[in-house]
Amino acid sequence: MKGREELERILARIDGKGYKAYKDIQGSYLFDTYILHIDHVQGDPFAAPSRLRVRVDQRHARIPAEFYNTPARRVACADFLTRSFARAIEEVAGGSRGTGKSGLIAIDRCGQEILERTAMVVTDEYVEARIVLGLPARGRTVLGKEARAMLFEELPAIVEASLLYKSIDGKSLRKHVEVKEDQVYLRSKLPEYQLAAFIADGSVLPRESGISDRPLRGEGVVPFVSPPELAVEITLPNAGPVKGMGIPQGVTLIVGGGYHGKSTLLRALERGVYDHIPGDGRELVVTLSTAVKIRAEDGRRVEKVDISPFINNLPNQQDTVDFSTPNASGSTSQAANIMEALEVGAKVLLMDEDTSATNFMIRDVRMQQLVAKEKEPITPFIDRVRQLWLELGVSTVLVLGGSGDYFDVADTIIMMDTYRPRQVTELAKEIAREFGTGRLSEGGGKFGRIKERSPLPRGLDPSRGGKTKIQARGLHTIQYGNWDIDLSGLEQLVDASQTRAIGEIIHYAARKYINGRATLRQVLEQVEGDIENKGLDIISPYYGQNPGDFARPRLLEVAAAINRLRSLSVR
Ligand code: ADP
Ligand code: MG
């Protein structure tokens, strides 16, 4: 281990030299309270910034073990410190110090969720921040003094202000950890109460805007209140007893007039598979972690998916047991999305009329009379939704303001009325008896077994022009070798660092487990096991160094990305 003086000497020596001279600072240096690892030095001031790690010994950090001594607490504690570090950067860092990224100091950005990330690691021995830094230059000339200011003044001040227990707000840290722990606990309790989801009274569901995930504020916000018939009380380890609306497993319908808050409720349920930060408004909105938002997604590719429970006898004689298409329609894409989700373990389907294909959802009696069953390839969802529940134990929560035909197949009906839920099951059932639909059920027989597919290695090569090319662009696109994977249909993907992780996980799975025999589900469960045992770093090509910015995605989103890869082939 070199002393910090050594780093100072090198910086003085390379001052004014060409940018490549920065390579000399790669290595590890002992500072007063931490070790600075300079793992990777950028090639020029415009390239991706240099990757560093700051490892603070717990003798100095002194984070109490009670904040990280369980998996949930550890994730919450790391998340808190990541935010703390980011805030300190804003307060301390001086901004641009020259050309391109010169002067930049950054750590992965956290949103409203508390996610497991590679940006921060907390153990009994140390706290380690994985950061990037733009080594300063004018043109391509090393600015040694500016680098010295960044590494010897700014960075120590940031570390001092954000990673040492004595400088952080212990109360906020405790709150962060407790809120996370309560959510994990609450979600784990849902099966015992036979619930698919729970929404605590007082929750704030609407968001600031279509592009902001922060809570809506102001006079007009109506906090959530459970209807008495669906109220459940659950006692949490930290918050104590909380009351709220339990959405039972089975088939649940959310009805109500336009603009009364139906989709807002469903979106909160979609996000309820994640834990939220204190003050988000959804800290006690939890959904079973196997809940999947299903929507129509026309144009997507489908590779040998058994969509036959929903679609049969296509006019071109096309096979629907091994259905493939480069360009799915609204209904076939929605059918494929369901079957693929079931294949990897989805137990709750979340659907909204706003994003569903009408002909997939319903075929009413008049249409049944005009277009004979033999001429209609689609068995609408209304005729399968109960089979999904009774045969496979798969629940559905469905937003539907436009058709009362679903009254017949629902177990629970919730009406949103100016953002307030009412339980209207009996009322709706009475209406259903009085006004029969006359519809014939078309779902004869059984839903049937869910087919599992085994991906072949050949479709999963990430090379392009002889080099491995895996790159996420924003939240919704991954370039994987020669292909772009379009993830814009995945509404439960919430963080660009998850998108980055998915790209690497596909490659990791392809290298280690995809062999043409293992099913997609087996492969992804093995990957999950590896992440569980060895940490999220394991997916990175830079394991052992600063691994890059990754946040843990669900297995379900990884599967969805693989399913959307245009080169995928399966057995
Ligand atoms: P629907 O799906 O029933 O047509 P939306 O869920 O899209 O309605 O909600 C319509 C509008 O009402 C949105 O702008 C949303 O932000 C707002 N909204 C939803 N719930 C609430 C609430 N509890 N308090 C205040 N505004 C809300
Ligand atoms: Mg809506």
Side-chain angles (χ1 to χ4, degrees), residues 303-368:
E303 167 69 3
K304 295 206 181 103
V305 175
D306 179 5
I307 57 168
S308 64
F310 297 107
I311 307 199
N312 256 309
N313 308 324
L314 287 172
N316 54 7
Q317 308 281 308
Q318 207 185 340
D319 184 4
T320 59
V321 174
D322 280 314
F323 180 75
S324 301
T325 175
N327 184 11
S329 68
S331 54
T332 52
S333 64
Q334 197 161 356
N337 285 350
I338 291 177
M339 299 311 292
E340 289 169 348
L342 297 176
E343 182 185 1
V344 287
K347 287 289 174 199
V348 183
L349 306 180
L350 305 170
M351 293 208 255
D352 192 327
E353 62 185 346
D354 291 352
T355 49
S356 291
T358 306
N359 59 345
F360 181 78
M361 300 308 291
I362 186 72
R363 218 162 92 78
D364 68 11
V365 63
R366 289 185 174 170
M367 204 52 86
Q368 286 181 331

Side-chain angles (χ1 to χ4, degrees), residues 86-339:
R87 227 173 303 115
I89 291 173
E90 268 182 34
E91 281 158 20
V92 172
S96 177
R97 290 178 180 270
T99 308
K101 302 201 170 74
S102 294
L104 171 82
I105 301 179
I107 192 162
D108 200 9
R109 251 187 54 187
C110 305
Q112 295 299 104
E113 298 80 17
I114 300 176
L115 301 174
E116 182 176 343
R117 287 177 194 273
T118 53
M120 187 75 67
V121 176
V122 186
T123 74
D124 283 328
E125 281 88 51
Y126 58 81
V127 173
E128 184 175 279
R130 283 84 176 269
I131 63 172
V132 295
L133 191 139
L135 289 167
R138 174 158 303 115
R140 297 190 44 83
T141 305
V142 167
L143 292 175
K145 291 190 193 67
E146 299 287 330
R148 192 194 170 286
M150 290 178 75
L151 294 170
F152 288 85
E153 290 161 29
E154 286 184 3
L155 196 52
I158 292 165
V159 172
E160 175 85 20
S162 65
L163 300 184
L164 310 186
Y165 188 64
K166 66 171 161 90
S167 12
I168 62 184
D169 177 4
K171 264 206 197 111
S172 301
L173 172 56
R174 178 177 299 278
K175 176 93 184 149
H176 211 76
V177 168
E178 289 183 352
V179 161
K180 162 88 181 174
E181 187 171 59
D182 277 349
Q183 293 176 76
V184 172
Y185 179 86
L186 185 53
R187 195 175 296 105
S188 78
K189 282 284 157 186
L190 294 176
E192 194 177 302
Y193 289 81
Q194 287 167 21
L195 297 178
F198 176 90
I199 303 150
D201 288 355
S203 295
V204 171
L205 309 188
R207 300 292 98 188
E208 204 166 61
S209 75
I211 53 161
S212 163
D213 200 32
R214 299 220 177 108
L216 185 65
R217 289 174 204 283
E219 299 271 291
V221 175
V222 178
F224 192 87
V225 181
S226 172
E229 302 89 339
L230 294 174
V232 179
E233 189 176 274
I234 299 178
T235 301
L236 302 179
N238 303 304
V242 291
K243 230 182 82 182
M245 179 171 93
I247 296 189
Q249 295 178 13
V251 179
T252 302
L253 210 56
I254 299 170
V255 302
Y259 223 69
H260 279 255
K262 304 184 296 295
S263 297
T264 302
L265 171 56
L266 193 80
R267 269 195 297 272
L269 297 178
E270 290 164 21
R271 296 302 179 88
V273 300
Y274 298 113
D275 302 318
H276 290 97
I277 56 172
D280 173 80
R282 299 168 296 185
E283 301 95 305
L284 292 174
V285 179
V286 300
T287 308
L288 287 176
S289 58
T290 54
V292 179
K293 173 68 180 291
I294 298 291
R295 56 172 293 158
E297 194 182 342
D298 48 307
R300 67 157 286 194
R301 176 171 189 260
V302 177
E303 167 69 3
K304 295 206 181 103
V305 175
D306 179 5
I307 57 168
S308 64
F310 297 107
I311 307 199
N312 256 309
N313 308 324
L314 287 172
N316 54 7
Q317 308 281 308
Q318 207 185 340
D319 184 4
T320 59
V321 174
D322 280 314
F323 180 75
S324 301
T325 175
N327 184 11
S329 68
S331 54
T332 52
S333 64
Q334 197 161 356
N337 285 350
I338 291 177
M339 299 311 292

Side-chain angles (χ1 to χ4, degrees), residues 504-520:
E504 295 299 337
I505 289 175
I506 297 174
H507 190 207
Y508 179 89
R511 284 196 316 267
K512 288 199 71 168
Y513 298 119
I514 291 177
N515 54 18
R517 292 180 307 278
T519 66
L520 181 58

